[in-house]
Amino acid sequence: MTLGVASFTTHAEETLTLDWIDLIPESERNQFDSYGMPAVDHSTDVMKQSKVGGIRPELNGSKIKIPGFVIPLEGDENNVTEFLLVPYFGACIHVPPPPPNQIIYVRFPKGAPVQQLWDVIYVIGTLKTETVSHELAETGYVIEGTEIAEYDDL
């Protein structure tokens, strides 16, 4: 199976390490910069800009590992059980928020320790092509998280 820039061979238990650009359909990639950030024209009305955010249905059900920043949604002072994963620090605070294919809703039932979530991390789990509308943003993907790992940029 070919996923965007890189090529991966998929086996039932193999984990795909994805970059954010891999979540964007080929037909929309020209609307993003080389870092996977939406190319926003600040001189025009935000509401009139072209709509991006399509998903890649062929990724549904894949076990993946993807780096990102956490925006906590549910949990307590010690553990976060639901959060948004975004490709860059401060996403969802800026206007406009990233498109739906650049925000992942993560369900992490066993809870991730809050102190592990301040810097970029890897989230590992099963990716679903499922839309979630939250007051902060709309997401195009959901991860049923099984593991949080320290980010290494090697």
Side-chain angles (χ1 to χ4, degrees):
M1 173 190 304
T2 302
L3 299 177
V5 180
S7 181
F8 305 97
T9 305
T10 311
H11 300 291
E13 298 301 315
E14 187 173 339
T15 300
L16 303 175
T17 299
L18 299 180
D19 288 319
W20 287 88
I21 197 79
D22 295 321
L23 299 177
I24 303 168
E26 288 284 339
S27 62
E28 291 183 14
R29 290 191 186 170
N30 64 340
Q31 298 177 57
F32 290 81
D33 67 20
S34 61
Y35 301 103
M37 303 274 283
V40 176
D41 180 356
H42 292 285
S43 66
T44 62
D45 183 352
V46 170
M47 302 312 281
K48 293 181 181 176
Q49 291 185 17
S50 65
K51 183 79 171 149
V52 296
I55 51 117
R56 305 241 346 252
E58 67 273 20
L59 293 174
N60 191 44
S62 298
K63 184 173 181 190
I64 70 156
K65 175 181 179 181
I66 190 166
F69 291 90
V70 171
I71 299 171
L73 299 175
E74 298 289 333
D76 58 29
E77 66 276 355
N78 298 316
N79 290 293
V80 175
T81 56
E82 294 186 16
F83 55 91
L84 298 178
L85 189 70
V86 294
Y88 53 92
F89 184 78
C92 294
I93 295 169
H94 298 127
V95 175
N101 62 14
Q102 296 294 282
I103 305 172
I104 302 171
Y105 194 96
V106 179
R107 295 181 185 113
F108 202 81
K110 68 181 181 180
V114 170
Q115 65 273 13
Q116 281 189 287
L117 305 179
W118 296 116
D119 289 318
V120 64
I121 58 163
Y122 281 113
V123 174
I124 301 160
T126 302
L127 185 71
K128 296 180 178 180
T129 52
E130 179 182 322
T131 300
V132 173
S133 291
H134 187 274
E135 63 188 45
L136 293 178
E138 182 176 309
T139 73
Y141 296 99
V142 170
I143 292 178
E144 297 297 336
T146 56
E147 188 179 345
I148 300 290
E150 188 175 319
Y151 177 73
D152 60 37
D153 57 357
L154 301 175

